[in-house]
Amino acid sequence: MKRTVMSILLLMVSSAVMAGDPFKGREIYQQHCLNCHGADGRGAQLGMPDFTRGQGLLVSDLQLVETLRVGKNMMPAYQGMLSDQQLADAITYIRTLF
């Protein structure tokens, strides 16, 4: 019971902190993501996930923020380049493509 309550509280705090703005996220996406992931999120390069099909998006926002911070495969790390709020904004926008 105690563990469940803690999990719920952490989820509520995490969700509030990671609330993103899709309009700001669209600007960030266009500046940093568009070349590889495409204007529509279908993936402009071979091996890129198709966001319109939910590929790569079936994890929590916190997991996506961490992936964006450290990079993955050919995607660069954005830690120090974009704030966590900017990453949350970009994730919120990307989720609108699904």
Side-chain angles (χ1 to χ4, degrees):
M1 176 72 171
K2 200 175 200 179
R3 179 182 259 173
T4 303
V5 171
M6 283 301 286
S7 296
I8 292 170
L9 289 174
L10 285 173
L11 182 62
M12 289 170 51
V13 169
S14 297
S15 297
V17 171
M18 298 311 298
D21 180 335
F23 299 104
K24 290 179 182 176
R26 182 174 187 267
E27 293 173 18
I28 294 164
Y29 182 89
Q30 289 178 332
Q31 185 176 9
H32 297 280
C33 312
L34 182 91
N35 288 336
C36 297
H37 292 286
D40 59 3
R42 292 185 192 275
Q45 296 183 10
L46 186 62
M48 294 295 126
D50 183 346
F51 296 141
T52 66
R53 299 184 69 184
Q55 293 174 343
L57 301 178
L58 301 178
V59 295
S60 72
D61 286 356
L62 292 175
Q63 288 174 291
L64 289 173
V65 165
E66 186 59 24
T67 299
L68 293 172
R69 280 184 194 140
V70 299
K72 184 175 181 180
N73 300 326
M74 294 186 67
M75 184 180 71
Y78 287 98
Q79 187 167 5
M81 187 184 304
L82 296 173
S83 70
D84 285 353
Q85 184 60 57
Q86 288 173 310
L87 296 176
D89 293 342
I91 291 166
T92 300
Y93 172 71
I94 291 167
R95 289 193 184 282
T96 70
L97 302 174
F98 180 45

